[in-house]
Amino acid sequence: MKYLELLFTCSALTTSVLTANAQKSAPNLVFIMADQYRGDALSCLGKEPVKTPCLDQLASEGVLFTDAISSYPVSSPARGMLMTGMYPLSNKVVGNCNSNTAPYGVELPQDARCWSDVLKDQGYQTGYIGKWHLDAPYKPYVDTYNNRGKVAWNEWCPPERRHGFDHWIAYGTYDNHLKPMYWNTTAPRDSFYYVNQWGPAYEADRAIEYIKAQNKQQPFALVVSMNPPHTGYELVPDHYKEMYKDLDVEALCKNRPDIPAKGTKMGDYFRNSIRNYYACVTGVDENIGRIVEALKQNGLFNNTIVVFTSDHGVCMGAHQNDGKNIFYEESMRIPMIISWPEKIKPRKDNNLMIAFADLYPSLLSMMGFQKEIPEAVQTFDLSKEILTGKKRNLVQPYYRVEANNHATGYRGLRTATYTYAVHATDGKIDEVFLFDRTQDPHQMNNIAGKQPKLISKFNKQLHAWLIQTNDSFSCIIKP
């Protein structure tokens, strides 16, 4: 295949001149994310009956963050924040990239300086494999099944919009996990191809080829973006389903008051989905294990920063919500493991509330490029905390934005113990939420009406944050 020929040809060549920082000793980066992966779905945490032996092993070799979150738990906005280090109103990705939001310019700006642009300029080889979902569909729409309905979702990413990624085996968004589709590095818009293989397995195969082809004289950064366990839960190989056929779902629901009763729409949705969801998680785990093993076999693991995380979680029926895009823990909480044996001692970190988008400045700083971080970056540089385990008390933002009306939607804050959010419609606040997650871990009781002092405190903090980040929603919040 042409993309394989290109891969090995490019990998055989080295850049004649590297910047002073990107020398032989510079760390590699392998960034793996799995879409819609809940924060508690790791067997080493002991909270959900899921099997993840490979991720458990990676967690034992690195840092397992137990309080990682997604500040805007939806695919495109979360990815937009990750790539730019800016919050939605600044990076323009205020909602999912599709034909409904396209008229409002919702896509990753071509002139944004992403962390991948920085690494490319520092002499890194760069590769992207899997789901991208940062381009707005345009007519005539690409002829895939998810572009034939009322809303078009999928779009090709042209080379000039790939933000420094040389090697490209990717797609916009496409949820047929058992027959995924891709564009390779040189393919034009009308030349995608389908694969009769489960998406994560195919993507792991391509990642392993990429890793094996590295010349070890030039550092590399590789993103592997897997779609499962995104919806399409049933589209997973049968041998993973077999592992959960005897799971006692009612026992799982027994201590979860946020899961509706059996016989209700959302209660049944959870019960009908959870086994397949876990099957997807275990399948993702196995293929991540294959990628990590390839790093070890090729002598690259010790000086490679390996990140595993997700763009967001999913309620899957909890709180009467089948999806994400809400402030509940099932949606906001994500897994996060960072391994770098040469620099980081293994530990379980229960103290640091780190957000998906904080990885932009944090990773660049860890890799020695702190001075290259653009001034426009708004997210937190937590490199010192990641490397040393130093504690830092943070308040993280929460967003949900309407593409056509920025005066409608949610803004909020998440602290170590509280979740606070306000909703406005056309510039007027109509709902306020406050949950004490220490006393009420399942977020069943909105105590906003009982805590006026806390509401006042968080309101002031939120107003200050919105002003600091140039968010017009600040005009709605009255401190």
Side-chain angles (χ1 to χ4, degrees):
M1 297 177 73
K2 289 184 178 179
Y3 72 84
L4 282 181
E5 295 172 0
L6 180 65
L7 168 62
F8 288 107
T9 300
C10 291
S11 297
L13 301 173
T14 59
T15 319
S16 57
V17 179
L18 297 178
T19 65
N21 285 327
Q23 297 297 330
K24 189 176 179 179
S25 61
N28 305 305
L29 173 65
V30 173
F31 191 106
I32 306 170
M33 53 183 166
D35 200 309
Q36 208 157 284
Y37 195 122
R38 289 148 60 120
D40 285 342
L42 292 169
S43 53
C44 60
L45 292 175
K47 294 184 177 182
E48 298 200 44
V50 63
K51 300 176 176 67
T52 56
C54 299
L55 286 170
D56 293 350
Q57 178 63 33
L58 185 64
S60 73
E61 297 170 329
V63 185
L64 170 62
F65 294 96
T66 62
D67 201 18
I69 67 158
S70 176
S71 296
Y72 191 155
V74 178
S75 182
S76 297
R79 292 159 187 264
M81 288 191 290
L82 171 73
M83 295 307 300
T84 65
M86 294 187 287
Y87 296 106
L89 272 295
S90 295
N91 68 33
K92 312 303 181 186
V93 190
V94 296
N96 263 334
C97 297
N98 58 39
S99 58
N100 282 345
T101 62
Y104 307 101
V106 177
E107 66 177 352
L108 181 63
Q110 186 172 333
D111 62 358
R113 185 153 175 80
C114 298
W115 59 263
S116 49
D117 293 310
V118 174
L119 292 183
K120 179 62 180 176
D121 289 347
Q122 296 301 314
Y124 273 68
Q125 296 184 79
T126 53
Y128 196 101
I129 299 171
K131 181 176 179 177
W132 177 246
H133 203 188
L134 286 169
D135 295 286
Y138 61 90
K139 294 180 179 180
Y141 298 128
V142 176
D143 188 22
T144 57
Y145 86 89
N146 58 342
N147 280 352
R148 297 171 188 158
K150 292 182 180 180
V151 180
W153 287 87
N154 199 11
E155 187 51 79
W156 175 65
C157 183
E160 64 271 16
R161 289 183 45 80
R162 293 176 188 170
H163 289 280
F165 288 109
D166 299 318
H167 181 63
W168 189 261
I169 305 174
Y171 58 94
T173 180
Y174 192 83
D175 294 339
N176 188 345
H177 309 317
L178 290 173
K179 192 175 182 179
M181 53 86 67
Y182 303 89
W183 282 273
N184 67 32
T185 306
T186 59
R189 188 172 185 248
D190 61 355
S191 295
F192 56 88
Y193 62 95
Y194 293 99
V195 177
N196 290 312
Q197 188 178 1
W198 196 51
Y202 178 78
E203 290 151 16
D205 287 346
R206 303 290 78 78
I208 291 167
E209 287 177 346
Y210 186 89
I211 289 166
K212 288 181 177 179
Q214 296 310 303
N215 57 51
K216 300 184 181 180
Q217 301 301 311
Q218 184 181 1
F220 69 91
L222 174 66
V223 176
V224 185
S225 176
M226 299 178 179
N227 205 2
H230 192 277
T231 42
Y233 306 133
E234 72 283 1
L235 301 175
V236 57
D238 289 341
H239 64 279
Y240 296 122
K241 293 182 180 180
E242 186 72 14
M243 299 172 71
Y244 294 97
K245 67 175 183 177
D246 297 324
L247 177 67
D248 187 343
V249 176
E250 289 308 314
L252 178 62
C253 296
K254 185 177 181 180
N255 298 314
R256 289 282 304 275
D258 55 321
I259 299 174
K262 187 176 183 179
T264 63
K265 181 179 179 180
M266 287 294 100
D268 288 348
Y269 181 78
F270 178 87
R271 288 165 174 81
N272 294 333
S273 301
I274 192 63
R275 290 187 180 91
N276 288 336
Y277 181 83
Y278 286 159
C280 288
V281 166
T282 297
V284 164
D285 174 85
E286 183 177 290
N287 285 288
I288 291 172
R290 293 175 57 219
I291 295 170
V292 173
E293 184 60 27
L295 290 170
K296 292 178 178 179
Q297 290 182 356
N298 286 272
L300 296 167
F301 182 67
N302 285 345
N303 196 34
T304 296
I305 300 172
V306 178
V307 178
F308 168 70
T309 188
S310 179
D311 51 356
H312 53 78
V314 64
C315 287
M316 206 189 309
H319 299 284
Q320 301 293 340
N321 192 314
D322 62 345
K324 52 268 185 182
N325 204 6
I326 194 65
F327 45 70
Y328 294 115
E329 289 291 277
E330 292 84 359
S331 179
M332 287 190 73
R333 284 272 318 291
I334 57 174
M336 190 175 293
I337 301 168
I338 300 179
S339 166
W340 188 11
E342 283 194 3
K343 299 290 185 180
I344 303 177
K345 293 181 179 180
R347 69 179 190 276
K348 185 176 182 180
D349 194 317
N350 299 319
N351 297 317
L352 184 64
M353 181 168 44
I354 181 171
F356 185 60
D358 294 332
L359 291 171
Y360 180 127
S362 301
L363 290 172
L364 285 184
S365 288
M366 289 167 60
M367 299 168 80
F369 306 121
Q370 186 175 36
K371 293 181 180 179
E372 305 301 324
I373 298 172
E375 290 184 4
V377 168
Q378 298 171 312
T379 55
F380 296 107
D381 180 353
L382 301 176
S383 54
K384 292 180 180 178
E385 290 78 6
I386 294 170
L387 290 168
T388 66
K390 182 180 179 181
K391 187 174 181 178
R392 180 172 170 184
N393 293 321
L394 289 173
V395 176
Q396 292 280 9
Y398 163 71
Y399 296 90
R400 179 172 169 179
V401 185
E402 294 295 327
N404 62 339
N405 183 359
H406 295 174
T408 294
Y410 288 92
R411 300 292 189 278
L413 299 172
R414 186 182 183 278
T415 73
T417 54
Y418 288 97
T419 299
Y420 168 69
V422 299
H423 182 269
T425 302
D426 293 328
K428 294 182 180 180
I429 294 176
D430 46 26
E431 290 183 285
V432 180
F433 300 88
L434 180 66
F435 297 99
D436 181 345
R437 300 193 316 277
T438 301
Q439 301 298 320
D440 178 25
H442 297 293
Q443 295 170 282
M444 301 299 294
N445 303 307
N446 179 9
I447 61 172
K450 300 176 182 179
Q451 297 287 344
K453 290 184 179 180
L454 273 177
I455 292 296
S456 177
K457 172 187 173 183
F458 288 135
N459 209 43
K460 290 177 180 177
Q461 285 183 287
L462 179 58
H463 182 262
W465 173 261
L466 296 174
I467 290 177
Q468 179 184 333
T469 55
N470 301 312
D471 189 332
S472 57
F473 210 87
S474 61
C475 297
I476 299 170
I477 305 294
K478 305 299 181 184

